[in-house]
Amino acid sequence: MDAEHPLDVLIIGAGFSGLYLIHLLRGAGFRVCALEAGGDVGGTWYWNRYPGARCDVESLQYSFSFDPTLEREWRWSERYAAQPEILAYARFVARRFDLYRDIRFGERLSRASFDPETKEWQAFTENGSHYRARFLIMASGCLSVPNLPALPGLEDFAGRIFHTGRWPEAGVDFRGRRVGVIGTGSSAIQSIPVIAREAAALAVFQRTPNYSVPAHNRPLDEADYAAWFAARDHIRTTARTATVAGIYGDYGTESALEVDEAERLRRYEARWQAGGLLFMAAFRDLRIDAEANETAARFVRSKIRALVRDPETAEALLPRDYPIGTKRLCVDSGYYETFNLPHVRLFDLRRQPLVRIVKRGVMCGEGTLVPLDDLVLATGFDAMTGALMRVKIENGRGLTLAEHWRAGPRTYLGLAVAGFPNLFLVTGPGSPSVLSNMMVSIEQHAEWITECLTALRASGAAGIEASAEAEAAWVDHVAEVGNRTLFPRAKSWYMGANVEGKPRLFMPYVGGVAVYREICADVAREGYRGFTRLAA
Ligand code: NA7
C-alpha cells in the first residue's frame, strides 16, 4: 500500500485506538491502513515495559466491550493486569480480528499535508514511505512521547540510562547494581518496589511527592468472573452513559463536609481497604471543593506517616502543595513500604536540589555524591499534544498544527481541528481522554468517527471540517468546566506544566464521558453541527 494506491483512511498508531478503528472502518467498507512506529501492536503497552508496569483501571473494565464474544474468549489473571498481559491482549485482539494485515510496523509519520485540490492527505514517514488518503486519523496516543528534561550533566553519566516509557524489550537486570530513579509519578511508584527487590541500593530522587493509594491487586477467580458476567451489561452501559470517568463503581453522593469526622474517616478507610482510583469517589465534591479535598489529602498523609517508619522520610513523602487527585492519583503495590528497606533512600530535591549528574552518580544538595551504576528516568511524557506536535501536519493553506496550537491545543470536541479538513484525533485534548477509562473513550471516538465517515460517504461529500466558531466555543467550554474544578491548581501534565515552554492550560474535558458522549451524539444527530462538509 503506497501513494499509487490511495486509501480512504490512514490511521496513525496501532494501540487500542488504532486497532479498533481498523476493525470498524474496514467493516464499514473503507480501505484503511495503520502506520505504527513500534514493532508490534499495543501502543502504550508496547513501549512501557518497565518493571511493575500495570494498568490502574481494573482489567475487566480496561478492555474492549464492543464484542461480548471477545470478552468470553479472554481471561484476565489479575484485578489489575500487568503490562505483559495487556500487551498479549492487544496481540490477541489483533489476531482475532485479522488486523495485522492492515498495519505497517516500524513506520513513523513525519509529515502530513492536506491537498485542497484533491481533498486528500499526503503522508510521509521517516523511512521515506508516501501514502495518500482521504482521511487522516491520529491515534498516536496521549502518553507516547517521553519527557526528557534537561538534567545537567546527563551526558557525562558512565552507567546505563533508561526511560520508563522506552524500556528495553529484553528487560533490565538490576541485580547487584546501585540504581537511581528520577521522578515519583505513577511510573516511578509502580517500578520502585520492583526494582528495590533486585537492586543492591536504590536512590529515589523526588521533586514533588505524589498521593498514592493501594491497588490491593489480586488474582481473579471463577467467582469474580461469575459476578462480572452476571452484571456485565449493566456495568458496561453504566460506565459509558452514567459516569464521569468511564469506570463503573460506587460513587459517593454526599459532600465530604456533610458528614462528621468519624464518618468521613470510616468512608476513606473503606475506600483505602478496597483499593484503587475510586478512592476519589468517596464523596461527590473532592475534585471541586478545596476544603472537602483537604480532608481526603489529610487522610492519605496520615496513612503515609503510618506506613513509613523513618519520620524524616515520611515527612518528605507527604504531598502538601496541591489538592489530591489534581495530579493523577497513583495506585501502588507497596510503594511507601519500600522506603522501610535498608538499601532504599529518598532524596528530597526540594531540600537538596539536583546539582549535576556526573560520571559515577548524582550530585545533590551541597556536594553530596550519590554513587550510581544505573539511572532510571521516570520523568513522564509530553502528554496529550506531544505526538501530534511532533508531526508536521500542514493544512494546505500555509498553516501547521503546531502553529495553530502555539498558545495551547484547540479542538472541536477533542476530535477535530478548525482549518484542518478530514483530520481526526482520538482521545485528543478537549475530550475526556486521560481523565477517563481510556477504553471507554477510545471505543466512543472510534465509533463516532466511523459513523461520521459513513454518513459523509452516503451524502457524497468529500470530507468535513470543524468551523472556527465551533472550535472556539468548545475551547471556551472546556476551559470553563475545567476552571470549576481544582485541577488547575496543580503543576501537572494535564496542565502541560511538566514540559518546559509548553503552554499552561488544562487540556482534557472534565465534563465526564457520559455528558460528552451525549454532546457528540447530538452533534451527529444535528447533521454534524459545527462542521462544514467539503463538496466532492
Ligand atoms: P509523571 O506523572 O509526569 O511523573 C514524572 C515524574 O518525574 C514526576 O515526579 C516529576 O516531578 C518528575 N520529574 C520530571 N522532570 C524532572 C526533573 N527535571 N527533575 C526531577 N524530577 C523530575 O509521569 P509518569 O510516567 O510517572 O506517569 C504518567 C502517566 O502514565 C500517569 O499519570 C498514568 O496515567 C500513566 P514533578 O511532579 O514534575 O515535580
Side-chain angles (χ1 to χ4, degrees):
M1 219 164 285
D2 50 33
E4 297 302 308
H5 306 91
L7 298 157
D8 294 315
V9 188
L10 182 65
I11 299 160
I12 308 304
F16 286 124
S17 308
L19 292 180
Y20 190 35
L21 279 163
I22 299 171
H23 174 62
L24 281 180
L25 288 165
R26 206 168 64 186
F30 293 101
R31 230 173 108 81
V32 300
C33 174
L35 305 183
E36 167 56 55
D40 204 339
V41 298
T44 285
W45 303 104
Y46 174 82
W47 297 103
N48 283 271
R49 296 162 187 265
Y50 60 83
R54 122 185 357 270
C55 190
D56 59 9
V57 173
E58 293 187 25
S59 302
L60 286 166
Q61 296 200 49
Y62 188 85
S63 54
F64 282 123
S65 73
F66 66 85
D67 183 345
T69 314
L70 170 69
E71 282 183 61
R72 296 223 171 240
E73 290 169 351
W74 180 264
R75 281 277 161 137
W76 295 106
S77 67
E78 292 177 286
R79 180 181 181 192
Y80 297 99
Q83 174 269 336
E85 192 170 351
I86 307 175
L87 182 57
Y89 173 72
R91 290 181 176 141
F92 174 76
V93 171
R95 281 195 305 274
R96 167 78 169 69
F97 296 100
D98 191 19
L99 306 178
Y100 275 107
R101 68 183 156 94
D102 286 321
I103 307 170
R104 302 289 167 271
F105 292 102
E107 284 277 45
R108 187 180 288 281
L109 185 70
S110 55
R111 182 162 76 84
S113 179
F114 186 73
D115 181 343
E117 291 299 313
T118 60
K119 301 186 179 70
E120 271 183 346
W121 283 94
Q122 306 277 345
F124 304 88
T125 70
E126 285 179 0
N127 293 338
S129 310
H130 175 198
Y131 297 83
R132 286 164 53 198
R134 175 58 49 95
F135 296 95
L136 176 66
I137 306 181
M138 298 299 290
S140 44
C142 294
L143 296 161
S144 48
V145 175
N147 173 38
L148 293 168
L151 294 162
L154 187 62
E155 62 287 355
D156 298 335
F157 186 63
R160 302 180 298 179
I161 302 175
F162 308 99
H163 189 286
T164 47
R166 285 288 178 274
W167 205 258
E169 212 167 327
V172 178
D173 187 353
F174 287 117
R175 277 175 302 179
R177 314 275 296 179
R178 294 166 303 176
V179 184
V181 175
I182 299 188
T184 48
S186 183
S187 303
I189 282 176
Q190 289 189 335
S191 58
I192 282 166
V194 184
I195 296 175
R197 274 179 230 148
E198 271 195 4
L202 178 60
V204 176
F205 298 94
Q206 171 190 270
R207 186 165 67 183
T208 312
N210 237 311
Y211 297 92
S212 188
V213 297
H216 295 312
N217 191 30
R218 59 175 178 78
L220 292 177
D221 58 21
E222 285 309 314
D224 292 312
Y225 263 94
W228 166 258
F229 283 121
R232 182 252 171 218
D233 291 353
H234 171 69
I235 293 173
R236 292 295 202 184
T237 306
T238 307
R240 277 197 283 264
T241 61
T243 72
V244 169
I247 300 174
Y248 176 82
D250 175 18
Y251 289 83
T253 52
E254 285 167 294
S255 161
L257 307 175
E258 269 172 52
V259 300
D260 64 22
E261 177 73 357
E263 177 60 13
R264 224 174 7 237
L265 292 179
R266 197 192 61 72
R267 299 219 195 149
Y268 287 138
E269 184 62 35
R271 299 270 168 175
W272 184 272
Q273 294 309 331
L277 291 173
L278 288 181
F279 180 83
M280 287 300 291
F283 296 100
R284 65 169 159 76
D285 52 356
L286 297 183
R287 287 215 158 91
I288 49 175
D289 184 297
E291 202 183 332
N293 182 287
E294 179 55 23
T295 65
R298 232 177 6 239
F299 175 85
V300 174
R301 284 187 217 116
S302 73
K303 286 290 186 189
I304 299 171
R305 280 198 197 91
L307 287 168
V308 179
R309 278 192 221 115
D310 174 47
E312 208 179 308
T313 305
E315 198 54 34
L317 284 165
L318 300 182
R320 291 189 184 279
D321 53 2
Y322 61 96
I324 183 169
T326 54
K327 283 184 172 219
R328 190 176 172 104
L329 186 65
C330 297
V331 178
D332 73 273
S333 297
Y335 173 63
Y336 294 115
E337 296 88 328
T338 302
F339 291 96
N340 295 332
L341 298 173
H343 66 299
V344 177
R345 198 160 158 212
L346 181 71
F347 291 85
D348 180 355
L349 299 181
R350 293 165 308 174
R351 290 185 52 216
Q352 294 181 284
L354 191 157
V355 179
R356 191 169 181 83
I357 294 169
V358 293
K359 195 170 172 192
R360 303 265 167 239
V362 169
M363 303 281 296
C364 53
E366 285 165 24
T368 312
L369 171 68
V370 185
L372 297 172
D373 304 312
D374 297 322
L375 207 45
V376 174
L377 307 180
T379 47
F381 302 90
D382 182 352
M384 302 202 74
T385 55
L388 299 167
M389 299 285 265
R390 265 163 186 71
V391 179
K392 191 169 183 198
I393 300 177
E394 300 164 317
N395 73 348
R397 297 171 218 161
L399 188 71
T400 66
L401 187 68
E403 286 160 356
H404 184 55
W405 284 8
R406 188 162 289 148
R410 300 177 61 76
T411 67
Y412 180 37
L413 304 170
L415 270 165
V417 184
F420 290 77
N422 293 2
L423 171 71
F424 290 97
L425 316 177
V426 182
T427 63
S431 75
S433 183
V434 289
L435 293 180
S436 68
N437 175 353
M438 284 302 251
M439 287 302 211
V440 169
S441 287
I442 284 169
E443 287 192 335
Q444 185 250 335
H445 266 186
E447 287 160 13
W448 192 94
I449 292 169
T450 304
E451 278 164 29
C452 175
L453 299 199
T454 306
L456 288 173
R457 181 176 58 192
S459 72
I464 197 165
E465 180 180 344
S467 76
E469 297 73 31
E471 181 185 85
W474 185 252
V475 169
D476 288 349
H477 176 60
V478 170
E480 187 205 322
V481 181
N483 286 335
R484 278 191 238 141
T485 72
L486 302 171
F487 279 106
R489 298 194 188 190
K491 288 191 206 146
S492 65
W493 56 258
Y494 296 137
M495 294 290 295
N498 64 327
V499 176
E500 215 164 306
K502 196 165 168 172
R504 299 280 169 100
L505 84 172
F506 188 64
M507 293 186 282
Y509 177 59
V510 76
V513 298
V515 169
Y516 175 78
R517 174 180 292 267
E518 268 310 302
I519 295 171
C520 290
D522 278 348
V523 165
R525 260 194 301 271
E526 291 169 28
Y528 294 93
R529 167 170 43 95
F531 287 92
T532 54
R533 290 177 193 225
L534 309 189

